[in-house]
């Protein structure tokens, strides 16, 4: 049986409005051969790169009488890039940070659309939680130091050992000195955060709720006080020690982490069982969360804010 004739495969990408306007006076041809019909005046008004190109004599090819400009970008990237700024185009969401990084490079470095910087900066910031190291690197590379500092602060949620050995293709954009500055910032923040608990001021006036007649004194509580010593619930101080150990590795540790709270809860229960007192059992967790929310988190944030990132 004779095989059915196979039709040629359809192109993987087709330019759509407004880039399918055959009345436009210029064609941008992507590296994979897709034509984008654009207006020369729009390109020239937006980009000094194109303005200079059109002002010089060119060895230009034509398609149906329309000049064709080949570009190095593939059709998918060129489409996303053009739609980000071309008048009348519907903007497409970026597939991922890598595609955004490509668009930033086209806008800031190749085609010189500097007026897009505020819009691109806002897009970059949206990735700082999921890709803080890459955002830090890109922000450093383009001189957006405020974003770099935001990303560095977000990186405090990473374990120090992971940060030291971190790998990201975007880290190649920055200098070794800049990466060392990020690591140094993480180390200094970890020291400041882990010490924040011991720098708190324990006074009878502010911490009357901390007192427990049945809790045994914890080794360092008497030495942490400024003013009259306070005999406080031992599990608060044990919690602070356990939290400090975690903060040394990860300055943005979740201070309400289940495992961290569970250790304190065991001591809360033990206090009542040993002394026959229900005060800690009834109110301990409530008071611990109150202490974390109202005092400890702010103390750590203040300690971290005092650390400078020098890049």
């Amino acid at each position: 049986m004779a095989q059915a004739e196979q039709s040629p495969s359809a192109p993987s990408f087709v330019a759509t409005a407004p880039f399918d306007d055959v009345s436009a006076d210029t064609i941008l041809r992507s590296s994979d051969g897709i034509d984008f019909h654009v207006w020369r005046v729009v390109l020239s008004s937006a980009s000094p790169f194109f303005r200079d190109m059109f002002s010089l004599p060119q060895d230009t090819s034509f398609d149906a009488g329309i000049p064709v400009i080949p570009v190095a970008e593939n059709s998918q990237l060129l489409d996303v890039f053009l739609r980000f700024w071309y008048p009348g185009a519907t903007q497409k969401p970026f597939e991922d940070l890598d595609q955004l990084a490509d668009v930033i490079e086209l806008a800031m470095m190749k085609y010189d659309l500097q007026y897009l910087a505020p819009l691109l900066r806002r897009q970059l910031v949206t990735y700082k939680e999921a890709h803080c190291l890459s955002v830090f690197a890109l922000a450093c590379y383009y001189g957006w130091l405020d974003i770099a500092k935001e990303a560095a602060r977000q990186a405090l949620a990473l374990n120090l050992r992971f940060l030291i050995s971190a790998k990201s293709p975007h880290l190649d954009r920055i200098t070794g000195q800049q990466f060392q500055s990020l690591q140094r910032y993480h180390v200094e923040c970890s020291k400041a955060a882990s010490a924040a608990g011991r720098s708190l001021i324990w006074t009878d006036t502010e911490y009357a709720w901390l007192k427990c007649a049945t809790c045994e004194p914890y080794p360092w509580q008497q030495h942490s006080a400024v003013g009259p010593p306070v005999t406080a619930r031992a599990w608060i101080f044990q919690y602070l020690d356990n939290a400090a150990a975690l903060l040394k590795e990860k300055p943005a540790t979740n201070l309400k982490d289940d495992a961290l709270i569970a250790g304190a809860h065991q001591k809360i229960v033990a206090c009542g069982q040993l002394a026959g007192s229900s005060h800690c059992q009834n109110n301990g967790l409530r008071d611990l969360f109150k202490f974390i929310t109202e005092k400890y988190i702010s103390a750590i944030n203040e300690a971290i804010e005092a650390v400078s990132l020098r890049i």
Side-chain angles (χ1 to χ4, degrees):
M1 180 182 297
Q3 293 184 350
E5 183 178 351
Q6 295 182 351
S7 60
S9 59
S12 59
F13 186 93
V14 177
T16 57
F19 307 119
D20 57 355
D21 182 3
V22 295
S23 68
D25 60 7
T26 304
I27 291 174
L28 296 181
R29 181 164 290 164
S30 67
S31 61
D32 51 345
I34 304 301
D35 289 347
F36 290 75
H37 293 257
V38 293
W39 291 97
R40 181 173 297 203
V41 65
V42 173
L43 300 184
S44 297
S45 299
S47 166
F49 176 91
F50 284 114
R51 187 184 312 133
D52 293 343
M53 174 188 291
F54 295 140
S55 68
L56 299 173
Q58 302 172 50
D59 182 14
T60 307
S61 61
F62 291 83
D63 188 330
I66 302 176
V68 177
I69 301 174
V71 296
E73 293 73 48
N74 64 41
S75 55
Q76 284 84 359
L77 176 58
L78 184 60
D79 188 60
V80 171
F81 170 64
L82 289 174
R83 288 183 180 281
F84 192 75
W85 60 271
Y86 195 89
T90 300
Q91 191 176 110
K92 285 186 175 180
F94 296 105
E95 291 181 357
D96 50 32
L97 178 59
D98 291 339
Q99 188 178 70
L100 172 59
D102 289 338
V103 170
I104 294 175
E105 184 168 3
L106 293 179
M108 297 292 99
M109 307 298 286
K110 181 175 181 179
Y111 294 114
D112 196 17
L113 283 77
Q114 299 301 320
Y115 75 95
L116 292 179
L119 299 176
L120 292 167
R121 282 164 49 89
R122 286 199 289 270
Q123 292 289 332
L124 183 60
V125 167
T126 64
Y127 287 92
K128 71 177 183 179
E129 291 187 12
H131 304 283
C132 55
L133 295 183
S134 292
V135 170
F136 173 81
L138 290 166
C140 285
Y141 183 72
Y142 291 105
W144 300 339
L145 299 187
D146 55 332
I147 296 178
K149 290 180 180 180
E150 290 183 42
R153 181 66 182 264
Q154 189 66 42
L156 297 180
L158 301 177
N159 186 285
L160 178 59
R161 285 169 289 183
F162 173 82
L163 179 62
I164 291 174
S165 60
K167 292 180 174 60
S168 163
H170 300 294
L171 288 175
D172 294 340
R173 295 173 180 263
I174 62 175
T175 66
Q177 183 176 0
Q178 287 172 321
F179 191 48
Q180 288 176 357
S181 295
L182 176 63
Q183 294 174 329
R184 189 179 306 112
Y185 172 74
H186 195 289
V187 170
E188 291 176 1
C189 285
S190 69
K191 291 179 179 177
S194 62
R198 291 178 179 251
S199 66
L200 291 172
I201 299 174
W202 307 94
T203 63
D204 284 319
T205 302
E206 188 174 5
Y207 288 100
W209 59 270
L210 270 174
K211 289 186 176 181
C212 176
T214 57
C215 278
E216 295 183 3
Y218 199 65
W220 65 267
Q221 64 171 299
Q222 298 290 350
H223 304 289
S224 66
V226 175
V230 179
T231 303
R233 304 181 193 183
W235 44 265
I236 287 281
F237 295 94
Q238 179 173 345
Y239 164 84
L240 288 172
D241 274 351
N242 291 340
L246 295 177
L247 290 165
K248 285 181 180 179
E249 287 293 320
K250 189 188 297 184
T253 290
N254 176 12
L255 298 173
K256 297 178 183 179
D257 178 78
D258 289 344
L260 196 55
I261 296 298
H265 186 243
Q266 290 178 352
K267 289 293 184 180
I268 290 171
V269 174
C271 173
Q273 290 175 341
L274 292 174
S277 169
S278 62
H279 185 71
C280 280
Q281 287 180 315
N282 293 340
N283 304 306
L285 282 180
R286 180 204 64 188
D287 291 341
L288 177 60
F289 278 106
K290 175 183 173 69
F291 165 74
I292 295 170
T293 302
E294 296 182 2
K295 193 70 175 178
Y296 195 30
I297 290 176
S298 60
I300 290 174
N301 287 337
E302 288 176 9
I304 290 174
E305 287 294 333
V307 179
S308 298
L309 172 63
R310 296 174 292 276
I311 50 177

